[in-house]
Amino acid sequence: HVQLVESGGGSVEAGGSLSLSCTIRGNTRDANCVGWFRQAPGKEREGVARMWRWNDNIEYTDSVKGRFTIRSDNAANIVYLEMNNLEPDDTALYSCAARTNGCSFTASYYNAWGQGTQVTVS
């Protein structure tokens, strides 16, 4: 099975940047699609960015377009979420998730999740 470990969260001022990492361990061939999700207190979990690791199939939620970039280092089995021009509304627990087939923002289709990393923007 697949294990995911996130790192890179922290606290920044509005306008700042952070880079999150999602390290894929175990059966990495089952992690063809990787998504980043976030959940703020009192809000539903939302998909932020997702990518099929083997081509340019990438999608962002509207609120982060032009500010966030998802990319994969397939040799190292790490998927990054680079976040620029952060806003207070970006404050949330960010989690990466993986699935083998298909690639969308439907969280229930993902079968591996990391523990999450907190991002706080003030």
Side-chain angles (χ1 to χ4, degrees):
H1 60 290
V2 175
Q3 300 98 40
L4 305 175
V5 179
E6 303 98 335
S7 61
S11 297
V12 295
E13 293 185 350
S17 299
L18 283 173
S19 181
L20 307 183
S21 300
C22 176
T23 301
I24 306 165
R25 297 173 177 163
N27 194 351
T28 60
R29 291 173 296 178
D30 284 344
N32 293 315
C33 173
V34 174
W36 281 97
F37 294 79
R38 66 186 180 186
Q39 187 165 20
K43 294 186 178 180
E44 293 186 356
R45 180 169 54 193
E46 68 167 337
V48 175
R50 60 99 183 138
M51 72 177 301
W52 186 261
R53 294 171 63 208
W54 312 107
N55 62 22
D56 293 332
N57 186 353
I58 291 174
E59 182 180 5
Y60 299 96
T61 193
D62 286 345
S63 64
V64 307
K65 287 179 180 177
R67 300 188 298 121
F68 290 13
T69 301
I70 186 172
R71 64 179 182 90
S72 180
D73 181 339
N74 290 336
N77 289 305
I78 301 174
V79 176
Y80 299 93
L81 183 67
E82 298 171 346
M83 306 183 295
N84 297 310
N85 195 19
L86 284 160
E87 304 168 352
D89 283 348
D90 295 318
T91 296
L93 182 69
Y94 284 71
S95 301
C96 64
R99 54 189 285 188
T100 304
N101 299 307
C103 205
S104 69
F105 278 141
T106 305
S108 60
Y109 290 168
Y110 288 77
N111 47 33
W113 289 82
Q115 80 287 353
T117 185
Q118 180 66 37
V119 171
T120 302
V121 185
S122 59

